[in-house]
Every structure is written in C-alpha cells, then in structure tokens.
C-alpha cells in the first residue's frame, strides 16, 4: 500500500511541474501584452497566474517530488484537483471582472474558495505525511 502511494506520488510530481510551467508561459505572455498595451487593470490576474499558477504549483510539485508519500496520498490528490479546478475558474472570472463586468464577482469567490480549500488539504497533507523518502 505504501509502495502504491509513493509510486502514484512519483508519477504525479512531473505533472504538477508541467502544469506550473504552462502557467508561467501564459503569465509571462500575459505580462508582456499587458505592459505593451498599458492595460494595468489586469495586473492582479497576471500576478496570480504567475504566483498561484507557476510559483505555488511548482513548489507543490517539487515538494511532492521530494516526498512522493505526500504527493500520492489521497490528500495530495484532492489538493491537485481542487487547485487545478479552482484556479482557472478564479483567473478567468477575475479577468472578466477586471474587464468591467462586476456580475462575475460571485464566480471569482467560488473559484478562489475552491483553490483555498485545496491549500487547506495541502497544509494538512504536509503536516501528516512530510517525511524524507
Ligand atoms: C517577461 C515577463 C513578465 C512581464 C513582461 C511582466 C509584466 C508586468 C507588468 C507590466 C506588471 C504591471 C506593473 C504595474 O501595474 O505597474 C506586472 C505586475 C506584476 N507581476 Fe509581472 N511580468 C512578468 C513576469 C512575472 C513573473 C514571472 C512573476 C511572478 C513569478 C510576476 C509577478 C508580478 C506581480 C506579483 C505583479 C503585481 C505587482 C504589484 O502588485 O505591484 N511577473 N508584471
Ligand atoms: C486562493 C488564493 C488567493 C486568493 C483568493 C487571492 C486573492 C487576492 C486578491 C482579492 C487580491 C487583491 C486584488 C486587487 O487588488 O484587485 C490579491 C492580491 C495579491 N495577491 Fe493574492 N490571492 C491568493 C493567493 C495568493 C498567493 C499564493 C500569492 C503569492 C504567492 C498571492 C500574491 C498576491 C499579490 C502579489 C497581490 C497584489 C497583486 C496586485 O497588486 O496586482 N496571492 N490576491
């Protein structure tokens, strides 16, 4: 059972990092376009694509790479899905709000809450399962 969990964690760690680097690519292109076109109202979207997308996902992926026991645990799977479902909802709806459509604010709240609950699972997971491989 322990082996199965660790094998799953080892399989998933590169997936975290590949998703992270896609967010980096999107975030950097977004930053360039935003800077060139002077549309700074989108800075919070750019910031969170890079920080909650690239930085947070890459850090989680590296931690789970070092500790596949945590990455492959069911808490790690729930963390993976909540972050990767909540974050796009948060970012796309924040983009819509920053385009002047305040009606999308409740959707921002839903996406942000899903991602934040994911971080709660991350926290519990690290407290319970973080051990050197
Ligand atoms: C070529 C890459 C990038 C470009 C062209 C770029 C461009 C920009 C621009 C134009 C702004 C708005 C500044 C303003 O409102 O005055 C900004 C803000 C910001 N960027 Fe980037 N960015 C890049 C990469 C990154 C990366 C890799 C990160 C994080 C890992 C990042 C994090 C942020 C943050 C947090 C803000 C908001 C700063 C604040 O609140 O004042 N950016 N960026
Ligand atoms: C679910 C998690 C998160 C939520 C819901 C959230 C929400 C927010 C909100 C509502 C703002 C204010 C935006 C505005 O002024 O219009 C903000 C700003 C900011 N947040 Fe987050 N945040 C989250 C996670 C993070 C993380 C993990 C980081 C860093 C690793 C971060 C870095 C920042 C920065 C740098 C700003 C200032 C951006 C700017 O001025 O453009 N946030 N965040």
């Amino acid at each position: 059972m322990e082996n199965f969990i660790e094998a799953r964690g080892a399989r998933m760690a590169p997936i975290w990092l590949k998703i992270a680097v896609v967010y980096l690519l999107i975030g950097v292109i977004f930053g360039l376009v935003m800077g060139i076109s002077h549309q700074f109202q989108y800075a919070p979207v750019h910031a969170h694509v890079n920080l909650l997308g690239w930085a947070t996902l890459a850090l989680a992926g590296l931690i789970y790479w070092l500790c596949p026991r945590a990455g492959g645990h069911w808490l790690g799977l729930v963390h993976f899905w909540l972050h990767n479902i909540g974050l796009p909802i948060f970012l796309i709806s924040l983009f819509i709000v920053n385009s002047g459509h305040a009606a999308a604010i409740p959707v921002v709240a839903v996406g942000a809450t899903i991602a934040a609950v994911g971080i709660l699972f991350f926290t519990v997971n690290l407290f319970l399962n973080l051990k050197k491989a």
Side-chain angles (χ1 to χ4, degrees):
M1 189 61 189
E2 192 75 351
N3 277 349
F4 171 76
I5 291 174
E6 290 190 6
R8 185 163 64 185
R11 244 190 351 263
M12 287 187 66
I15 301 176
W16 282 91
L17 292 173
K18 285 176 187 167
I19 296 173
V21 81
V22 171
Y23 274 105
L24 176 62
L25 181 65
I26 295 170
V28 162
I29 294 171
F30 193 104
L32 272 173
V33 173
M34 178 177 77
I36 291 166
S37 61
H38 285 236
Q39 295 189 296
F40 299 118
Q41 76 271 25
Y42 296 115
V45 180
H46 164 76
H48 291 87
V49 171
N50 280 313
L51 293 172
L52 207 49
W54 162 241
T56 305
L57 284 173
L59 213 44
L62 288 176
I63 291 167
Y64 287 151
W65 198 308
L66 286 173
C67 182
R69 184 180 128 97
H73 194 273
W74 70 267
L75 289 164
L77 296 193
V78 176
H79 171 209
F80 178 87
W81 285 110
L82 290 179
H83 198 113
N84 287 307
I85 290 169
L87 183 56
I89 296 175
F90 174 52
L91 294 174
I92 293 168
S93 55
L94 188 59
F95 180 87
I96 294 171
V97 169
N98 290 353
S99 305
H101 307 284
I105 287 174
V107 188
V108 176
V110 170
T113 304
I114 294 172
V117 174
I119 299 297
L120 179 64
F121 276 86
F122 187 34
T123 310
V124 175
N125 192 15
L126 294 199
F127 269 82
L128 290 183
N129 295 315
L130 204 57
K131 282 216 184 92
K132 255 188 120 212

